[in-house]
Amino acid sequence: MIAEQAAGLGARTICLDPSADAPAFRVCDEHIVAAFDDAAALEELCRRSDAVTYEFENVPGEILIPLAEKYNIPQGYRPLFDSQDRIREKTNARDNGLRVPRFADVCDRESLMKGIFEVGYPCVFKTRTLGYDGHGQVVIRTPEDIARTEPYMGTPAILEEFVPFDYEASIVMVSDGQRIVSFPIGRNIHREGILDLCLVPAPQMDEAVRAKLVEQSEAFMRRCGYTGILAIEYFVKDGEIYFNEMAPRPHNSGHYTIEGCTTNQFRELCRYLLGEPLQEPRLVAPTVMKNILGEDLAAAQAVAQEAGPEEGVYVHLYGKSVSKPKRKMGHITFVGMTAGEYDARWRERFVQ
Ligand code: AMP
């Protein structure tokens, strides 16, 4: 999706991906097949590019440090590095003005017990690195649940206060170092730890919470000195916002911006990379984004056939060669649709 927008701005793209049939290779101009931690291949990518970005957070931040000194990686390694370890990420968020759930550093049974004592029940155990979409997480509500962390013992982990949130929300921002543009905030609904729906404008979010979320997120981005794109996910509880995690790349909750806004997260990232002035996005109409996992692929194809041209239904299929349950295979954006209208017209098509 970055490559598609870059092409629209007249730029050529080269992508690196470990898989020879990566969907990106069908829309970029050149490609390199290599692992995300292959230092020589990453250097080749940098050498062949005028500007480099990342859209996957497990490219080792350490490998980027020497490359960022030699080549033009406008976002640098810092936001990636800061987001790759949950303890580092939450400490950084707290030190730069955001409220975070209570947390403790855990590495073995003894530190786990100490962490539970400090954080209290209920709490959430998460591996510090490489976790996404709920992988490597255990909710601990009672002492009996502690045994469920056994498979992860010995792996560095974080223990967090369980926030009984009213809802989850996220913001995507792009900064050129002077100016920050923010995309309208979405309310995120997860299923089994994976984003299922993003609703924009966020239902139930009052203006005071919205303004606080924008103001604190932009202040955080400035204080950290991050430029380029940054997404932050929050828990909202009784009008308070709690930082959950951040990602210095286009975010799944921002996919709705392609049709739902006057400019989108991929395009503004490209403008930043190309040194062009950023454009302030505006919501076109209420929008619902539905993620399509493997189990919903056939339903998504049927929706694509069936939706009338006037309905504002945009089906994106990524063309991944293997479809599996819980694997993100695409998304559908419903523009001009509220959550209630989505429930009435489309919801039951998909696995509940
Ligand atoms: P994460 O990978 O940290 O984004 O976690 C995946 C999902 O698990 C989140 O989107 C929440 O729905 C839930 N979750 C994670 N951490 C917490 C927490 N501290 N309190 C309550 N729910 C959580």
Side-chain angles (χ1 to χ4, degrees):
M1 290 180 267
I2 298 173
E4 285 168 350
Q5 295 299 320
L9 292 169
R12 290 167 51 79
T13 47
I14 172 166
C15 294
L16 180 149
D17 193 287
S19 155
D21 61 356
F25 293 170
R26 288 189 282 116
V27 292
C28 63
D29 299 285
E30 295 170 45
H31 68 261
I32 297 173
V33 180
F36 290 123
D37 60 358
D38 179 335
L42 289 175
E43 171 130 27
E44 186 194 340
L45 178 78
C46 292
R47 209 170 21 78
R48 290 167 65 181
S49 309
D50 296 313
V52 179
T53 192
Y54 33 76
E55 59 89 69
F56 175 69
E57 58 257 55
N58 294 325
V59 181
E62 294 86 343
I63 290 189
L64 289 191
I65 297 173
L67 292 175
E69 282 169 11
K70 255 171 99 179
Y71 300 99
N72 183 25
I73 308 178
Q75 294 203 175
Y77 75 94
R78 259 290 310 283
L80 194 62
F81 185 76
D82 292 345
S83 65
Q84 280 174 337
D85 173 313
R86 291 185 190 271
I87 296 269
R88 195 156 64 214
E89 182 182 39
K90 290 216 161 58
T91 306
N92 179 60
R94 187 180 60 196
D95 292 350
N96 287 290
L98 297 179
R99 183 165 185 163
V100 301
R102 286 192 304 279
F103 65 92
D105 194 345
V106 167
C107 60
D108 53 18
R109 201 175 155 83
E110 191 188 333
S111 53
L112 175 64
M113 297 317 290
K114 185 164 165 281
I116 293 175
F117 182 74
E118 284 166 20
V119 172
Y121 290 108
C123 50
V124 188
F125 172 97
K126 303 179 182 177
T127 52
R128 275 174 71 159
T129 58
L130 303 180
Y132 67 99
D133 287 348
H135 293 279
Q137 296 192 14
V138 178
V139 177
I140 304 176
R141 294 181 188 278
T142 64
E144 285 74 64
D145 292 331
I146 294 172
R148 292 174 41 228
T149 63
E150 213 50 60
Y152 304 106
M153 272 304 121
T155 310
I158 185 172
L159 191 74
E160 288 175 19
E161 164 191 4
F162 180 89
V163 180
F165 52 78
D166 300 326
Y167 58 92
E168 297 182 75
S170 58
I171 183 168
V172 177
M173 302 169 284
V174 179
S175 168
D176 61 9
Q178 305 285 320
R179 179 161 167 249
I180 299 180
V181 295
S182 301
F183 289 87
I185 293 166
R187 173 171 168 181
N188 299 331
I189 299 175
H190 291 83
R191 234 192 27 226
E192 297 178 51
I194 306 174
L195 183 67
D196 180 34
L197 293 171
C198 181
L199 315 174
V200 196
Q204 281 176 15
M205 177 177 272
D206 63 37
E207 178 49 29
V209 173
R210 195 201 64 78
K212 178 159 72 178
L213 200 152
V214 173
E215 190 191 308
Q216 292 193 6
S217 302
E218 293 189 358
F220 169 76
M221 199 171 181
R222 285 208 166 85
R223 277 179 70 158
C224 293
Y226 298 151
T227 59
I229 191 160
L230 185 73
I232 308 182
E233 293 180 48
Y234 291 95
F235 301 134
V236 184
K237 170 78 189 141
D238 297 333
E240 246 345 299
I241 60 171
Y242 296 82
F243 172 95
N244 177 34
E245 59 184 11
M246 67 175 200
R249 54 160 171 81
H251 196 251
N252 193 173
S253 69
H255 288 9
Y256 87 87
T257 61
I258 298 175
E259 294 92 6
C261 290
T262 48
T263 181
N264 64 68
Q265 60 169 354
F266 307 99
R267 178 165 281 245
E268 291 315 301
L269 170 60
C270 290
R271 277 199 228 279
Y272 160 74
L273 295 169
L274 295 168
E276 294 182 11
L278 301 181
Q279 286 186 2
E280 192 71 47
R282 191 165 46 73
L283 189 66
V284 171
T287 296
V288 174
M289 193 281 300
K290 161 76 182 161
N291 254 349
I292 300 304
L293 305 183
E295 58 269 39
D296 283 325
L297 188 55
Q301 282 157 341
V303 169
Q305 301 279 327
E306 195 185 312
E310 73 295 342
E311 288 195 272
V313 177
Y314 301 90
V315 179
H316 295 251
L317 299 177
Y318 306 151
K320 294 182 181 176
S321 50
V322 180
S323 170
K324 280 191 278 197
K326 294 195 169 188
R327 185 172 194 208
K328 289 176 186 169
M329 301 303 293
H331 70 272
I332 306 181
T333 312
F334 300 88
V335 180
M337 186 165 294
T338 62
E341 289 162 353
Y342 168 81
D343 284 351
R345 170 89 168 93
W346 299 108
R347 185 185 183 90
E348 65 184 30
R349 302 305 183 86
F350 304 107
V351 174
Q352 301 300 316

